[in-house]
């Protein structure tokens, strides 16, 4: 506030052990985040604040946040967003909050599911339908994929954060597409952790989506059962990955979709939680320092544009010493719109990292 009065913009600060980042939205709401996690980057905290404000708009609407008539009433209304916001602060298995790309999985029978989804959408009378397993999108209609940011990330995340229910009729605002007029998010549980999501206006009523309609499009359930293990695995069973790979993050920066898994070689160290932390930290490092700004990011400065020709296309990091058999390896590679990050075991020689990443990216390209 002191800086603002002097027309100085201050966006972050650090103490010995804490990083503080704040951001004002629409000259109305200021959000402040403090993190004492070691190595926390400002990029991560800035994106967290964007997601938190997006969650508030999603469940309360922009009008309530920019034209505040009664603070106490707003506080009560914002309680609806607490569960979703808490899920950003915890150790989530998803990564869309950081990458601003939709967490996806690759189903074994994708074309069959896509056909059923399109037919069901037409029968239900809405163009916006998706199939979500544990907060990740398995398949979606074209219109659903065209949803803007942040709602494309927030809607599946919201569904994954809610307690299980057979069906829901949930009012939501779209922070990018419709921040002041609410839509309805209808969810129908097909199998545990596997939900059908519809975004629509006043029609159809939830009662119209009866068992008969679901049976017509979603029987037999075998292709759906094949989606359940994909929650944390992301890739179809038997997909050939090098034995040194402990985790991967594949981003398609134009489609704004990503695949994220730490399931390969589960019997090896480190734990899945530690692997996720390592990949998240590595993502913020390479995004903030090595790779060009992602599509849709604020315009780069003129002097940054001059250096674009010298931008890195690959980089790696060794945690610990470079002695063979010690320390984990992290490698990042960018080819066209795709960016791949790999966490590799200590056995992987550093001279082979780029070759391994290139081979893996080529193998994954048909999937995303």
């Amino acid at each position: 506030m002191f800086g603002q009065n002097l027309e100085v913009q201050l966006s972050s600060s650090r103490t010995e052990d804490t990083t503080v980042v704040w951001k004002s939205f629409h000259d109305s709401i200021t959000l402040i985040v403090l993190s004492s996690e070691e190595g926390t980057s400002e990029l991560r905290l800035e994106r967290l604040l964007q997601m938190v404000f997006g969650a508030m708009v999603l469940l309360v609407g922009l009008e309530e946040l920019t034209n505040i008539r009664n603070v106490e009433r707003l506080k009560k209304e914002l309680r609806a967003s607490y569960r979703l916001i808490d899920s950003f602060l915890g150790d989530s298995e998803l990564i869309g909050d950081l990458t601003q790309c939709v967490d996806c999985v690759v189903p074994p029978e994708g074309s069959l599911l896509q056909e059923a989804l399109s037919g069901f959408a037409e029968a239900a009378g809405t163009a916006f339908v998706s199939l979500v397993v544990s907060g990740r999108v398995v398949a979606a209609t074209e219109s659903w994929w065209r949803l803007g940011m942040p709602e494309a990330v927030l809607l599946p995340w919201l569904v994954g954060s809610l307690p299980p229910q057979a069906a829901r009729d949930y009012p939501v605002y779209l922070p990018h597409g419709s921040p002041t007029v609410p839509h309805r998010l209808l969810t129908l549980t097909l199998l545990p952790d596997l939900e059908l999501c519809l975004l629509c206006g006043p029609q159809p009523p939830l009662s119209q989506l009866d068992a008969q309609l679901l049976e017509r499009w979603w029987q037999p359930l075998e292709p759906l059962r094949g989606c359940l293990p994909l929650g944390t695995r992301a890739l179809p069973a038997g997909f050939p990955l090098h034995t040194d790979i402990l985790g991967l993050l594949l981003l398609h920066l134009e489609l704004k979709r990503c695949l994220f898994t730490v399931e390969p070689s589960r019997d090896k160290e480190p734990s899945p939680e530690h692997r996720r932390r390592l990949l998240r930290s590595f993502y913020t490092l390479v995004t903030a320092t090595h790779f060009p700004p992602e599509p849709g990011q604020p315009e780069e400065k003129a002097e940054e544009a001059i250096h674009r020709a010298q931008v890195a296309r690959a980089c790696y990091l060794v945690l610990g010493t470079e002695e063979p058999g010690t320390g984990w390896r992290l490698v990042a590679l960018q080819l066209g719109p795709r960016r791949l990050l790999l966490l590799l075991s200590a056995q992987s020689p550093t001279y082979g990292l780029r070759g391994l990443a290139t081979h893996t990216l080529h193998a994954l390209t048909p999937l995303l």
Side-chain angles (χ1 to χ4, degrees):
M1 285 173 74
F2 178 75
Q4 237 172 355
N5 292 336
L6 301 172
E7 294 181 5
V8 173
Q9 192 181 349
L10 192 61
S11 58
S12 65
S13 181
R14 285 180 186 268
T15 67
E16 272 181 33
D17 56 1
T18 305
T19 305
V20 187
V21 173
W22 55 91
K23 188 171 173 60
S24 285
F25 295 88
H26 298 273
D27 292 325
S28 174
I29 298 277
T30 299
L31 296 177
I32 305 170
V33 59
L34 296 91
S35 175
S36 54
E37 236 176 85
E38 198 181 336
T40 295
S41 76
E42 288 173 20
L43 174 81
R44 186 192 154 202
L45 297 180
E46 282 164 11
R47 292 193 174 181
L48 172 64
L49 292 182
Q50 288 166 6
M51 289 295 284
V52 169
F53 186 72
M56 291 160 71
V57 176
L58 185 80
L59 297 170
V60 174
L62 189 60
E63 179 67 25
E64 291 291 329
L65 296 168
T66 54
N67 190 8
I68 302 167
R69 298 180 192 88
N70 185 324
V71 172
E72 292 306 315
R73 198 181 101 199
L74 177 63
K75 282 184 190 173
K76 281 180 187 166
E77 288 177 345
L78 282 173
R79 283 179 194 157
S81 64
Y82 285 1
R83 180 187 280 270
L84 181 54
I85 292 169
D86 281 346
S87 70
F88 301 144
L89 302 177
D91 184 22
S92 175
E93 293 179 352
L94 307 175
I95 201 167
D97 60 318
L98 178 62
T99 62
Q100 298 180 329
C101 294
V102 181
D103 282 281
C104 301
V105 297
V106 182
E109 300 188 62
S111 55
L112 197 68
L113 291 173
Q114 197 64 48
E115 204 178 305
L117 199 70
S118 302
F120 177 80
E122 200 175 322
T126 175
F128 299 88
V129 184
S130 67
L131 196 59
V132 175
V133 61
S134 306
R136 298 165 178 83
V137 176
V138 180
T141 58
E142 275 185 44
S143 296
W144 184 284
W145 283 127
R146 283 200 296 267
L147 286 171
M149 288 295 150
E151 51 261 35
V153 170
L154 286 168
L155 288 170
W157 197 299
L158 171 67
V159 172
S161 73
L162 292 170
Q165 272 181 303
R168 301 185 195 90
D169 191 337
Y170 215 81
V172 291
Y173 296 83
L174 305 180
H176 174 76
S178 179
T180 55
V181 179
H183 285 62
R184 292 163 64 227
L185 177 65
L186 308 183
T187 69
L188 300 157
T189 300
L190 301 177
L191 289 170
D193 291 329
L194 184 68
E195 297 185 68
L196 201 53
C197 304
L198 298 83
L199 195 61
C200 51
Q203 297 296 328
L206 189 57
S207 56
Q208 193 178 306
L209 307 175
D210 53 20
Q212 203 175 344
L213 185 65
L214 290 176
E215 271 175 35
R216 181 180 158 201
W217 293 104
W218 300 106
Q219 292 289 352
L221 288 168
E222 270 53 54
L224 294 176
R225 286 203 177 93
C227 299
L228 294 180
L230 294 172
T232 52
R233 199 171 64 207
L235 300 169
F239 185 83
L241 282 178
H242 194 282
T243 52
D244 285 347
I245 295 174
L246 303 176
L248 72 83
L249 169 62
L250 174 65
L251 303 146
H252 195 300
L253 300 172
E254 286 173 6
L255 295 178
K256 289 287 187 184
R257 301 178 203 173
C258 66
L259 296 172
F260 180 48
T261 180
V262 291
E263 289 294 297
S265 309
R266 280 208 71 146
D267 50 330
K268 296 180 185 174
E269 286 289 324
S271 67
E273 295 77 19
H274 192 185
R275 293 181 190 191
R276 277 194 290 272
R277 280 198 296 273
L278 289 171
L279 276 167
R280 287 178 78 99
S281 297
F282 188 51
Y283 170 83
T284 54
L285 173 73
V286 299
T287 303
T289 55
H290 296 313
F291 288 147
E294 291 161 15
Q297 295 299 312
E299 287 299 305
E300 57 193 336
K301 300 184 186 82
E303 63 267 24
E304 287 172 357
I306 292 164
H307 297 297
R308 280 295 288 250
Q310 301 157 3
V311 153
R313 289 284 171 247
C315 59
Y316 76 90
L317 183 68
V318 176
L319 299 175
T321 65
E322 287 204 37
E323 293 296 313
T326 62
W328 296 298
R329 281 86 166 106
L330 288 148
V331 60
L333 176 71
Q334 182 144 336
L335 280 177
R338 291 178 179 83
R339 182 181 299 170
L340 175 68
L341 281 70
L342 294 177
L343 171 65
L344 301 160
S345 67
Q347 281 70 43
S348 207
T350 51
Y351 60 80
L353 295 180
R354 186 168 186 164
L356 174 54
T358 305
H359 176 77
T360 306
L361 183 54
H362 287 314
L364 291 167
T365 293
L367 304 183
L368 187 66

